[in-house]
Amino acid sequence: MEACPVAAAEDWVARTAGQVRAEGERRHPGQTPTCASGISPSGPVHLGNLRELMTPHFVADEVRKQGAPCRHILSWDDYDRYRRVPAGFDPSLAEYIGRPLTAVPDPCGEHLNWAEHFKEPLRASLAALGVLVTEISQTEMYTSGAYTEQIILAMRRRADIDAVLGRYRTRRPIQTEAEDGDDEPRDARGEYYPFKPYCATCGKDDTTVTGFDDATTEITYTCGCGAQHGPTPIAEVAGKLVWKVDWPMRWAYERVTFEPAGVDHSSPGSSFTVGGELVKEIFGGEMPLHFGYAFVGTAGGSSKMSSSAGGAPTPADALEILEPQLVRWLYARRRPEQSFTIAFNAEVGRTYDEWDRLTATIADGTAAPASVAAYGRAAGTAEGLLPATPRPLQFRTLASVADITAGDEAQILRILRDATVPEPIATLDEVRPRLDRAQAWVAGYMDPADRTVVRREPDLDRLGSLTDPDRDALKILNERMGDDWSLPGLTRLVYGIPKLQLGLDIDAPPTPEVKAAQRLWFILLYELLVGRDTGPRLPTLLLALGQDRIRYLLASG
Ligand SMILES: [Zn+2]
Ligand SMILES: [Zn+2]
């Protein structure tokens, strides 16, 4: 295993990892501490949900980097009821509303059920990101009887639970999807039961508990389908604790040491606050260490997204255009309470540039300690470094080349060889996977208005209206571009021609006058080559076109 840069700074990750180790040891001496994430596979898992996983991941990974064990559980809320058919799916699936997510058919036919259909892409993304989790299916836990003791305890203590909930009932909590309306099931006499059966007749949770015998643990319930069941030992009845009781029960059961939650969960009366009381009073556990994390937004999109995930990007979409290290870095460099935006638009080039600059400062030892820490968390995990692109060329260059060549690999290789003198690349594998990301970005996310369409024929009108200095500049380009046909060579020439025309040395520092002349010169070249006044970086564009094509398009006849 290669060494990761050491986390020098005491950032939020290091601080929380220290707390997790100390608190884990205090609560359960000698046992592995647990960081927890919870995800509902009720529909596409959006990129916005990734912070729920990355936040505990960094902490658990930091503990492991320190040489101590740490468990990161991913609790799949797949025994929750199916609430609605998400946009874009067969509306006839509405007949399954009210059943557990694992009892709804898979929409594509390749997975075991509805929940698995949405788990699989997230699993693949987590693997690519180096996020190591222990998955726990709540369907498996509930149906195997793992929680029977806790369910009986909650039913016997239902009055106490009701009283705790009552302390918050007058406040108006922000309701999350899991909380809407199912947290206070009561029978006709108003008695509260924290357990909701899935009907043995119809499989749905349109059920009302009508009695529970504390001594025998037998439960009776009715269902909207007309069925009446029981008395039956609750151990034999399918169903689950309501969300506000379920969550603290699992904190105690899994001995969760640390579990962050979205900022909306920490409001008064939220399931997190109520859970903190229930875990202590009912389940004999303690509330996990926690803090709220802020929203992660996205900028730019693709028509592809609207079909795959209701218009919102998924982690897989982000990984299609960003190397895993960059995705990790975007999360690692921000404190959890800071919101931030992941760019899918042209800003993605800036994200890569920032990362490349950071990598350079790490290499030459000039990075600030906080940056070194964030870099270390991004570049690898306790298991080792993530695979990286051997020759990480500038993303914008790769995107331009992908754009200009329309993905032709032979052309891409030719251009990138010219672009990498004096040590030209031998194969495209040296620039992968970054090249693949750039190609995916051009294909799926680049604004069509920014696409480069090289002229097929010279623009005779424009060529006919050239000034003498224009003609002179084109002549210099024509005569000298072959002297050093490389990215640095062409950069020097293209930027240098206006200097030569002003009587300066080709390597003279730019003056305001030079910059003004360069702007007009670049516009002229863009107009003649691609028919617009802007485009990819000119040296890249020239390399891509090749000398014959350039001479043909710039020849004034
Ligand atoms: Zn499927
Ligand atoms: Zn029923």
Side-chain angles (χ1 to χ4, degrees):
M1 189 204 306
E2 292 178 74
C4 289
V6 177
E10 177 78 352
D11 58 1
W12 68 269
V13 180
R15 204 165 45 244
T16 312
Q19 289 166 353
V20 164
R21 291 185 69 173
E23 194 61 16
E25 190 55 31
R26 182 186 70 76
R27 295 184 185 187
H28 306 286
Q31 294 185 27
T32 301
T34 293
C35 299
S37 303
I39 294 285
S40 168
S42 57
V45 181
H46 295 154
L47 183 56
N49 299 117
L50 193 57
R51 207 167 203 179
E52 170 72 19
L53 285 145
M54 295 311 291
T55 308
H57 163 70
F58 285 127
V59 171
D61 188 58
E62 173 62 23
V63 173
R64 292 195 286 256
K65 278 178 173 166
Q66 293 171 3
C70 192
R71 192 168 73 124
H72 179 189
I73 58 172
L74 163 50
S75 191
W76 292 111
D77 292 319
D78 58 9
Y79 205 48
D80 285 3
R81 75 193 298 262
Y82 189 53
R83 288 167 190 280
R84 63 184 72 88
V85 184
F89 292 90
D90 184 354
S92 75
L93 287 164
E95 69 171 286
Y96 293 95
I97 287 173
R99 292 175 190 252
L101 292 167
T102 40
V104 180
D106 171 38
C108 82
E110 289 168 25
H111 302 100
L112 215 52
N113 55 54
W114 180 271
E116 284 301 317
H117 179 83
F118 297 104
K119 288 182 191 179
E120 191 172 289
L122 183 65
R123 262 186 208 125
S125 295
L126 292 179
L129 287 165
V131 174
L132 200 69
V133 290
T134 302
E135 292 181 53
I136 296 174
S137 157
Q138 291 308 320
T139 298
E140 279 174 30
M141 298 301 284
Y142 269 105
T143 57
S144 70
Y147 298 145
T148 299
E149 220 177 279
Q150 284 75 10
I151 292 169
I152 291 169
L153 173 66
M155 286 296 264
R156 285 179 175 153
R157 300 280 309 274
R158 59 192 177 277
D160 299 325
I161 294 173
D162 196 18
V164 171
L165 293 176
R167 297 210 283 273
Y168 293 92
R169 220 163 261 142
T170 51
R171 309 181 196 176
R172 289 294 306 161
I174 296 168
Q175 300 218 325
T176 62
E177 182 174 325
E179 290 171 59
D180 63 7
D182 74 348
D183 56 334
E184 304 217 351
R186 286 171 198 283
D187 69 4
R189 290 163 295 134
E191 185 155 5
Y192 169 82
Y193 297 101
F195 180 83
K196 190 100 165 144
Y198 282 114
C199 173
T201 305
C202 72
K204 300 185 181 187
D205 72 343
D206 190 12
T207 53
T208 305
V209 176
T210 49
F212 181 76
D213 187 321
D214 287 350
T216 65
T217 77
E218 285 175 331
I219 187 173
T220 53
Y221 66 90
T222 60
C223 178
C225 72
Q228 295 195 18
H229 290 281
T232 314
I234 199 166
E236 295 164 23
V237 173
K240 71 184 288 288
L241 292 172
V242 297
W243 173 245
K244 279 185 176 168
V245 181
D246 181 45
W247 203 11
M249 180 278 287
R250 291 194 260 139
W251 288 341
Y253 187 92
E254 301 292 350
R255 295 195 288 265
V256 175
T257 321
F258 170 60
E259 180 164 358
V263 280
D264 56 333
H265 278 290
S266 39
S267 60
S270 72
S271 43
F272 208 98
T273 324
V274 178
E277 301 220 9
L278 292 177
V279 69
K280 195 167 65 222
E281 285 192 30
I282 307 299
F283 300 106
E286 284 185 72
M287 196 175 188
L289 298 170
H290 62 278
F291 48 67
Y293 54 79
F295 180 73
V296 177
T298 56
S302 160
S303 53
K304 191 181 64 104
M305 286 177 183
S306 46
S307 56
S308 72
T314 64
D317 289 325
L319 284 166
E320 202 188 1
I321 61 165
L322 292 168
E323 293 173 312
Q325 291 88 340
L326 272 83
V327 176
R328 294 176 62 90
W329 180 60
L330 291 174
Y331 287 87
R333 69 175 174 162
R334 299 273 182 244
R335 292 193 311 279
E337 69 272 23
Q338 289 179 299
S339 58
F340 65 93
T341 299
I342 296 181
F344 284 76
N345 55 19
E347 286 292 299
V348 69
R350 189 208 294 262
T351 306
Y352 271 95
D353 288 347
E354 288 178 27
W355 170 253
D356 289 346
R357 268 199 300 278
L358 172 62
T359 307
T361 60
I362 297 291
D364 67 21
T366 60
S371 301
V372 175
Y375 182 85
R377 305 193 196 296
T381 68
E383 283 71 47
L385 288 175
L386 270 73
T389 302
R391 292 278 299 267
L393 302 186
Q394 197 190 31
F395 184 83
R396 288 174 218 255
T397 303
L398 295 174
S400 291
V401 173
D403 171 34
I404 298 163
T405 59
D408 182 311
E409 296 219 341
Q411 272 202 69
I412 292 175
L413 182 60
R414 175 181 65 75
I415 297 164
L416 292 182
R417 275 195 176 132
D418 289 336
T420 48
V421 287
E423 294 175 74
I425 58 165
T427 75
L428 290 182
D429 287 342
E430 291 177 47
V431 294
R432 288 196 160 109
R434 187 175 288 196
L435 173 63
D436 305 320
R437 303 294 196 272
Q439 288 186 283
W441 182 77
V442 169
Y445 300 93
M446 189 180 190
D447 186 339
D450 293 338
R451 286 282 167 78
T452 303
V453 182
V454 178
R455 281 190 175 282
R456 307 187 72 83
E457 298 299 332
D459 183 349
L460 295 177
D461 285 349
R462 187 74 182 85
L463 286 166
S465 68
L466 294 178
T467 63
D468 284 343
D470 291 344
R471 249 184 262 284
D472 182 46
L474 291 173
K475 185 159 169 284
I476 303 173
L477 178 66
N478 187 24
E479 287 169 359
R480 295 178 59 166
M481 68 182 159
D483 294 352
D484 185 357
W485 182 254
S486 69
L487 207 51
L490 287 170
T491 303
R492 181 167 175 257
L493 179 62
V494 168
Y495 283 80
I497 284 175
K499 299 180 201 169
L500 295 173
Q501 290 187 289
L502 289 165
L504 301 168
D505 185 84
I506 192 168
D507 296 317
T511 63
E513 193 187 9
V514 166
K515 285 184 182 170
Q518 283 172 336
R519 264 195 298 279
L520 294 174
W521 161 234
F522 294 165
I523 289 172
L524 172 66
L525 280 178
Y526 283 125
E527 285 175 347
L528 293 174
L529 297 171
V530 297
R532 311 188 320 159
D533 59 9
T534 181
R537 286 192 67 237
L538 279 166
T540 312
L541 178 63
L542 296 177
L543 277 183
L545 296 179
Q547 298 184 36
D548 291 346
R549 191 88 186 271
I550 296 168
R551 291 206 170 89
Y552 177 67
L553 291 173
L554 300 186
S556 45

